[in-house]
Amino acid sequence: MMIESAQLLEYGVRCSVYYLAAVASVLLFVYLECYATPRTDVTFQTSNKAIAKSFVASEMLTGAQCMALVSLLPFAVLCWCCFAGKQLRMSSSWTCRVPRPEWLPAAYHMWHVSCICLVLVLGVNGVLTNALKLWISNFRPDFLDRCQLAAQAEPLEWYSVQMCQQTDKALLYEGLKSTPSGHSSFVAAGIGFAYLWQCRFLTVDKKRHIWCPVLCVVVMVSRVVDHRHHWYDVLSGGLLGALVCYAVLANVFVKPKSVSVLPL
């Protein structure tokens, strides 16, 4: 028992850098999401049709549902492929930077490191997405409806955010977080992770994973339909999420000199 504890401790130490990075990124994302506010020194025109769409209260996919989708679905894929999908064969043309101890089965090592990688992908993506949202402070397509400007005796050419009569400040500030799209970046990061992971580690036809990009496109389109984002918001968000996913995977997994196949 002591030997097993020592082995687990040594293994945990090897992974400690990724543990710390994952936890730190998630905590920073939560702080930016819940406590930070966007810049309010931006101005707008009531004649701008790009921000004059109606506010849709009932979204096709809420923020909580999106987070559940991009975390639980890839996690289920990892669990199935590593433990349940015995008919699948896992390629080792890519291997983890953290070496696998001899006492730990390959499937368990792959599952553990991949789960850490998934959390790191989502955490880093969340930090970068929210940091850009707060810095850019772009108006959502439904901003005027959120703002609820008071009637002006003398119409102005430009209006400030401080002139909005909206009493729900959270709703108002959310109207300044249009670029990039968080739903798009998260779905590209989380579902994109599931896609790249399957393409890299499973020796099956890559066409079987086409549901991943299709799901990403559906989520992105829903954000435009719900008047939450402009077309360039979803494109920039999708690009950001994909880049984060690729960069984190490239950091955690590398190509060894020799290629073999590990049966599960």
Side-chain angles (χ1 to χ4, degrees):
M1 186 64 180
M2 292 298 295
I3 296 178
E4 292 182 359
S5 298
Q7 290 173 335
L8 288 173
L9 179 60
E10 181 183 2
Y11 183 56
V13 171
R14 291 180 181 179
C15 301
S16 60
V17 173
Y18 292 116
Y19 288 151
L20 293 174
V23 171
S25 62
V26 170
L27 291 178
L28 183 53
F29 160 65
V30 171
Y31 171 78
L32 293 175
E33 179 69 21
C34 300
Y35 301 104
T37 56
R39 295 187 301 110
T40 57
D41 58 343
V42 289
T43 56
F44 59 93
Q45 294 177 302
T46 55
S47 59
N48 186 357
K49 295 182 179 180
I51 61 174
K53 296 185 180 296
S54 60
F55 173 73
V56 179
S58 180
E59 301 175 80
M60 294 185 187
L61 187 70
T62 66
Q65 291 170 339
C66 179
M67 292 305 299
L69 174 69
V70 303
S71 56
L72 296 181
L73 187 54
F75 178 72
V77 169
L78 295 179
C79 292
W80 170 259
C81 293
C82 291
F83 302 125
K86 297 299 183 181
Q87 76 280 8
L88 300 178
R89 292 170 65 82
M90 185 170 290
S91 170
S92 66
S93 57
W94 294 80
T95 187
C96 177
R97 288 184 183 274
V98 178
R100 178 179 68 87
E102 294 182 359
W103 54 268
L104 185 63
Y108 284 88
H109 178 63
M110 175 61 72
W111 176 81
H112 171 248
V113 175
S114 297
C115 286
I116 299 174
C117 187
L118 173 61
V119 175
L120 191 55
V121 165
L122 296 178
V124 172
N125 176 75
V127 170
L128 294 179
T129 299
N130 276 1
L132 287 172
K133 281 178 175 287
L134 298 173
W135 176 62
I136 297 174
S137 194
N138 190 30
F139 302 105
R140 291 187 187 270
D142 59 2
F143 180 78
L144 290 181
D145 201 2
R146 292 172 184 257
C147 175
Q148 297 181 6
L149 273 173
Q152 301 288 325
E154 292 278 341
L156 304 177
E157 182 178 0
W158 292 94
Y159 295 82
S160 66
V161 176
Q162 289 74 20
M163 300 174 69
C164 293
Q165 301 298 303
Q166 176 62 254
T167 56
D168 188 343
K169 295 303 180 183
L171 183 65
L172 176 63
Y173 291 152
E174 275 297 313
L176 297 171
K177 297 181 180 181
S178 190
T179 309
S181 166
H183 279 59
S184 300
S185 70
F186 269 107
V187 77
I191 306 302
F193 170 86
Y195 178 75
L196 288 180
W197 190 93
Q198 292 176 98
C199 289
R200 288 185 177 184
F201 298 123
L202 301 183
T203 57
V204 296
D205 189 351
K206 291 180 174 58
K207 293 180 181 178
R208 293 179 57 174
H209 318 314
I210 193 66
W211 61 269
C212 293
V214 170
L215 181 58
C216 290
V217 171
V218 170
V219 172
M220 292 178 184
V221 171
S222 75
R223 301 309 289 166
V224 177
V225 174
D226 284 342
H227 300 168
R228 288 301 194 272
H229 291 287
H230 309 280
W231 63 267
Y232 54 83
D233 296 334
V234 298
L235 290 182
S236 59
L239 178 61
L240 174 62
L243 289 176
V244 169
C245 176
Y246 183 85
V248 174
L249 272 169
N251 182 271
V252 177
F253 295 97
V254 294
K255 277 191 174 183
K257 295 181 180 179
S258 59
V259 177
S260 60
V261 173
L262 301 176
L264 290 182

